Amino acid sequence: MSSTDAGQLDTAMKRPPRLLKNLAAKFAAVPMVLIALVIFVGCTIWTIYHSFTRSRLLPAPEKWVGLENYERLWSESRWLISIENLAIYGFFSLILSLSIGFILAALLDRKIRFENTIRTIILYPFALSFVVTGLAWQWILNPQLGLQNVVRNWGWETFTFDPLNNAEIVIYGILIAGIWQGSGFVMVLLLAGMRGIDEDIWKASRVEGIPAWKTYIFIVMPMMRPVFVTAIVIIASGIIKVYDLVVAQTSGGPGIASEVPAKYVIEKMFFSQNLGLGFAASTMMLLSVLIVLIPWAYLEFGGKKNG
Amino acid sequence: MTDQKFSVSVKNLDLRFGSLRVLKDLNLDIHEGEFLVLLGSSGCGKSTLLNCIAGLLDITDGQIFIKGKNVTWAEPSERGIGMVFQSYALYPQMTVEGNMSFGLKNARLPKAEIKERVDRAAEVLQIEPLMKRKPAALSGGQRQRVAIGRALVRDVDVFLFDEPLSNLDAKLRADLRVELKQLHQRIKNTMIYVTHDQVEAMTLADRIAIMKDGLIQQLATPEEIYNRPSNLYVADFIGSPAMNLFKGEIANNTFSLDGLSLSLDGYDFAAPFTGTAWLGIRPEHVAIGENAAAADVQMDVTAEVVDPLGSDTLVLAHVAGERFWLRISGQADTKQGDQIRIGFSARDVSLFDAATEARL
Ligand SMILES: Nc1ncnc2c1ncn2[C@@H]1O[C@H](COP(=O)(O)OP(=O)(O)O)[C@@H](O)[C@H]1O
Ligand SMILES: [Mg+2]
């Protein structure tokens, strides 16, 4: 009797340290962790380091120049316009993709007829690459071929709509294509989330006389928070690296009116043979991502411990 | 209007999902303050009927009256009903208080009134300490209490329950069942309660409606359903273990099957009958030992399986070549292979026409 008691006590005290739990699983994760550390963290540090050097065609770690690249970057109007465009594109793209996607998902969720047809039509843009989307919208927005021409042919001779050729509003022309592509994606993601919501929740809210729109906003949306977070992260990362859409539609023109940071980085690195400046620009992009991501991650994961 | 005396009236209700006819010309009248249980096996259309009454499904044909008012095409919220679901269907991001008051706020009731109603329901259901918690921080039983509270605050005439206890474990289910019964005795509203659990049905109901394939097989008090099942399906469905059934011939007021012969003088026939029939006898209506001496037929059987349940013991034997369950006292010292003297009388049995399966 006493010996078994002692035995139980022993095993309780000799509980293996946490580090050794699930050893096999941890062992299996090692290669992945190494890859992540070496490639992502390692390359990031390498990039940041070289942004402080005068690297031209090849990395030149010995030519340390301090903040020179950053000073040059922030005095260049092309970079400033890129940042401004990204801000405009990002703000509207995020908000409009999310709201249009949500409304479309809610409409489909209401079990309207021809759901499959409509879903396919709305999903097509997402299946296309940004280059195809960009080209398609370039044609639609082309004054000689597209929308403007069609409306003029209908008889409205003075109608003018050629955003891609107007430096003032060119970024909004690109925005249209971006939203067209983004909202289809958001719709699918949110629709999957909505379909996962218990049918009885809807019945309960109907019995209580809560209108559908209120149910969506006050009950369904809070329940879909994880899906929204996923959608926002994916959309936001797409926004920051937007490149192909611009190249396909305007190549950054007219002039430099529709430049974006990702395009700036690629051109500095591969066409202007100025690695140092390209690295400085990409470091700035990384910094802006972190500024958004860190507070969010803190709210999302850090708050849990206390709550 | 004749409907006035009923709390809920369902008239010639038909419901189809495409070509599938789930409810078939169904009629049901429920009295004011009655606790009516819809009982049936899974897929027989109980939830569908409840959803039709609630207005959550558009019916194909027929009419529904609540408090004498034709509500066939009224919105669920205008019918004066509250509903509780098996999955609780609480709003997960709102507190208990939020869950209970959201519908009232939406209906723009004065703040004081909302508070009064929520407090009263919380007191009735003893969930006052939980008011600031979210559903995720509650146990299943507490969640279901909150869901009942959300229905209570609506201050309506009729409450609908769709298997509210089915997600709970056995002990909690029994506790909440008693509380529901007490709640009904206290507030005396009409309640329609869907379940597939016959214990819940027998204990809670004023009347039980047994459903099968979209039709009501029998609508009666629990005693009536248990003692005088109106057809073979009901007889077989109610009771655990099920009624022992024998198929034999009735001639000259005697039921006979190889070796078994029972004079039916004591049986309360609806009409005289001759022909093939089912005879049913409940395991607990079989007389055992000395008690068997007074029975119309007596015989010795061998205990093949003995299932002690504590309060009583179930014994499986064979009579006239059929499996035969009998229920004996839990204190009886019976073992497998023992001989048991059993007997039963005509007044304890149920007889059904083999052709129509209706009670004779
Ligand atoms: N929305 C629906 N569409 C098609 N068939 C349905 C639908 N809801 C229920 N059914 C069918 O109707 C029948 C009755 O369902 P239900 O009322 O949920 O049964 P239960 O008695 O178990 O509550 C089942 O055969 C089910 O498959
Ligand atoms: Mg059901």
Side-chain angles (χ1 to χ4, degrees):
Chain A
M1 186 68 202
S2 63
S3 74
T4 51
D5 274 354
Q8 277 171 4
L9 212 68
D10 260 358
T11 47
M13 282 162 72
K14 271 195 226 145
R15 178 184 284 166
R18 273 188 65 168
L19 203 64
L20 295 181
K21 262 203 258 170
N22 302 330
L23 201 62
K26 282 179 183 156
F27 197 68
V30 165
M32 200 49 227
V33 172
L34 277 182
I35 289 174
L37 278 180
V38 171
I39 298 197
F40 295 118
V41 181
C43 293
T44 305
I45 291 171
W46 190 88
T47 305
I48 294 174
Y49 175 84
H50 281 86
S51 72
F52 296 107
T53 65
R54 187 175 294 131
S55 303
R56 304 296 302 181
L57 179 61
L58 294 170
E62 68 287 350
K63 293 186 189 160
W64 181 267
V65 292
L67 287 173
E68 192 186 295
N69 283 328
Y70 290 91
E71 279 158 16
R72 195 173 143 200
L73 185 69
W74 284 104
S75 58
E76 225 180 296
S77 66
R78 181 162 167 205
W79 173 254
L80 294 175
I81 286 176
S82 296
I83 293 286
E84 188 191 339
N85 280 340
L86 184 67
I88 295 172
Y89 177 84
F91 179 78
F92 287 107
S93 176
L94 193 64
I95 289 184
L96 291 176
S97 298
L98 279 177
S99 30
I100 294 174
F102 183 82
I103 291 168
L104 288 174
L107 287 177
L108 283 193
D109 186 49
R110 298 274 73 198
K111 307 216 163 57
I112 55 169
R113 293 167 72 196
F114 314 118
E115 176 186 326
N116 280 336
T117 322
I118 293 173
R119 190 164 45 190
T120 313
I121 292 173
I122 295 176
L123 258 188
Y124 255 122
F126 187 61
L128 302 176
S129 92
F130 262 128
V131 176
V132 179
T133 306
L135 286 176
W137 279 95
Q138 192 199 2
W139 291 329
I140 296 173
L141 299 180
N142 184 305
Q144 273 76 49
L145 302 169
L147 205 61
Q148 174 175 321
N149 190 32
V150 171
V151 175
R152 284 194 182 173
N153 284 348
W154 284 343
W156 185 357
E157 298 290 342
T158 55
F159 178 78
T160 314
F161 186 66
D162 61 340
L164 296 188
N165 295 328
N166 182 340
E168 294 286 306
I169 56 168
V170 61
I171 194 65
Y172 296 96
I174 292 172
L175 185 65
I176 295 175
I179 290 169
W180 187 63
Q181 187 140 24
S183 42
F185 165 73
V186 172
M187 180 201 76
V188 191
L189 210 62
L190 295 189
L191 184 59
M194 283 178 191
R195 287 285 154 85
I197 283 178
D198 185 0
E199 189 100 22
D200 287 350
I201 293 263
W202 276 102
K203 290 184 182 170
S205 85
R206 267 190 79 191
V207 168
E208 295 206 88
I210 297 159
W213 67 268
K214 260 193 181 173
T215 309
Y216 273 115
I217 291 178
F218 293 109
I219 298 166
V220 172
M221 261 167 76
M223 286 176 79
M224 296 204 336
R225 190 188 142 105
V227 185
F228 269 103
V229 170
T230 309
I232 289 173
V233 168
I234 294 176
I235 294 274
S237 71
I239 288 169
I240 289 175
K241 59 189 193 205
V242 63
Y243 168 72
D244 24 19
L245 201 59
V246 177
V247 171
Q249 283 196 98
T250 64
S251 307
I256 53 169
S258 61
E259 291 287 346
V260 286
K263 186 163 176 290
Y264 181 94
V265 170
I266 289 177
E267 283 174 7
K268 285 294 168 211
M269 282 164 66
F270 299 112
F271 302 117
S272 320
Q273 291 159 11
N274 193 341
L275 276 182
L277 196 56
F279 287 157
S282 47
T283 304
M284 290 317 302
M285 285 173 72
L286 176 70
L287 200 64
S288 61
V289 172
L290 289 182
I291 287 171
V292 176
L293 224 51
I294 287 173
W296 167 76
Y298 182 77
L299 283 178
E300 192 75 351
F301 304 112
K304 285 264 165 63
K305 282 178 208 138
N306 314 326
Chain B
M1 221 172 141
T2 52
D3 305 308
Q4 201 65 54
K5 64 178 186 289
F6 293 116
S7 178
V8 178
S9 259
V10 174
K11 295 198 186 306
N12 308 101
L13 176 63
D14 244 64
L15 187 114
R16 284 168 219 256
F17 290 115
S19 61
L20 178 70
R21 194 168 169 214
V22 176
L23 299 177
K24 298 158 188 163
D25 198 22
L26 190 141
N27 287 287
L28 180 63
D29 291 318
I30 300 162
H31 300 289
E32 188 75 54
E34 187 173 27
F35 199 123
L36 183 108
V37 173
L38 294 171
L39 177 65
S41 52
S42 164
C44 69
K46 307 176 298 284
S47 300
T48 306
L49 173 56
L50 203 68
N51 285 334
C52 288
I53 295 173
L56 294 167
L57 281 173
D58 286 339
I59 66 177
T60 313
D61 205 0
Q63 288 176 312
I64 293 170
F65 295 84
I66 293 179
K67 283 229 148 185
K69 209 173 92 196
N70 188 341
V71 294
T72 311
W73 299 111
E75 275 295 307
S77 54
E78 295 159 3
R79 295 186 178 206
I81 53 149
M83 195 161 177
V84 177
F85 302 87
Q86 176 177 353
S87 62
Y88 321 127
L90 295 176
Y91 312 135
Q93 306 298 331
M94 296 182 194
T95 61
V96 168
E97 194 173 12
N99 266 281
M100 287 166 70
S101 58
F102 188 58
L104 302 181
K105 279 186 196 146
N106 180 63
R108 295 182 190 282
L109 255 65
K111 271 217 175 73
E113 164 102 27
I114 295 178
K115 184 165 163 28
E116 194 200 311
R117 287 201 200 179
V118 170
D119 287 350
R120 186 160 15 107
E123 193 235 304
V124 170
L125 295 161
Q126 296 166 357
I127 49 175
E128 289 130 319
L130 312 175
M131 296 312 274
K132 298 287 173 222
R133 288 205 213 162
K134 294 234 176 116
L138 301 178
S139 72
Q142 291 170 332
R143 283 181 209 184
Q144 198 53 289
R145 253 179 262 244
V146 174
I148 295 170
R150 189 175 60 184
L152 277 188
V153 295
R154 285 177 49 70
D155 223 0
V156 289
D157 304 314
V158 181
F159 289 111
L160 310 176
F161 297 88
D162 194 350
E163 312 218 12
L165 308 184
S166 296
N167 277 5
L168 305 177
D169 59 52
K171 168 91 173 64
L172 213 55
R173 200 181 305 174
D175 291 348
L176 216 56
R177 196 179 71 215
V178 174
E179 282 180 37
L180 262 177
K181 192 165 183 163
Q182 288 170 333
L183 179 70
H184 179 243
Q185 284 161 357
R186 182 164 168 184
I187 63 176
K188 296 191 176 66
N189 289 50
T190 309
M191 295 190 175
I192 308 178
Y193 186 104
V194 164
T195 182
H196 65 266
D197 181 323
Q198 34 172 311
V199 177
E200 275 173 32
M202 297 295 283
T203 51
L204 287 172
D206 292 327
R207 282 195 303 164
I208 299 176
I210 303 233
M211 284 185 70
K212 182 198 172 202
D213 295 339
L215 289 171
I216 291 181
Q217 301 288 316
Q218 185 171 9
L219 172 60
T221 62
E223 297 74 36
E224 175 93 3
I225 285 196
Y226 179 77
N227 292 317
R228 297 174 55 83
S230 69
N231 62 37
L232 193 62
Y233 177 81
V234 176
D236 194 37
F237 186 78
I238 289 284
S240 170
M243 195 180 255
N244 299 298
L245 289 165
F246 301 95
K247 197 173 191 176
E249 295 294 327
I250 295 180
N252 303 324
N253 216 19
T254 303
F255 178 90
S256 48
L257 175 66
D258 57 310
L260 182 75
S261 177
L262 176 65
S263 162
L264 298 173
D265 287 337
Y267 185 78
D268 183 17
F269 273 106
F273 181 83
T274 303
T276 312
W278 288 94
L279 178 141
I281 170 92
R282 294 206 179 276
E284 45 275 27
H285 290 165
V286 180
I288 313 289
E290 299 106 65
N291 299 340
D296 293 355
V297 286
Q298 299 161 27
M299 64 196 84
D300 285 306
V301 294
T302 312
E304 292 161 30
V305 175
V306 178
D307 284 349
L309 299 177
S311 60
D312 46 29
T313 298
L314 298 174
V315 175
L316 178 66
H318 269 83
V319 169
E322 297 285 339
R323 285 153 65 90
F324 192 93
W325 282 100
L326 44 128
R327 196 186 287 272
I328 62 176
S329 157
Q331 306 309 319
D333 188 20
T334 304
K335 284 182 215 54
Q336 190 194 355
D338 285 359
Q339 290 283 314
I340 305 177
R341 180 122 192 111
I342 64 165
F344 50 87
S345 301
R347 68 187 134 75
D348 298 326
V349 304
S350 291
L351 292 167
F352 306 97
D353 184 341
T356 63
E357 301 196 340
R359 186 183 182 86
L360 293 172

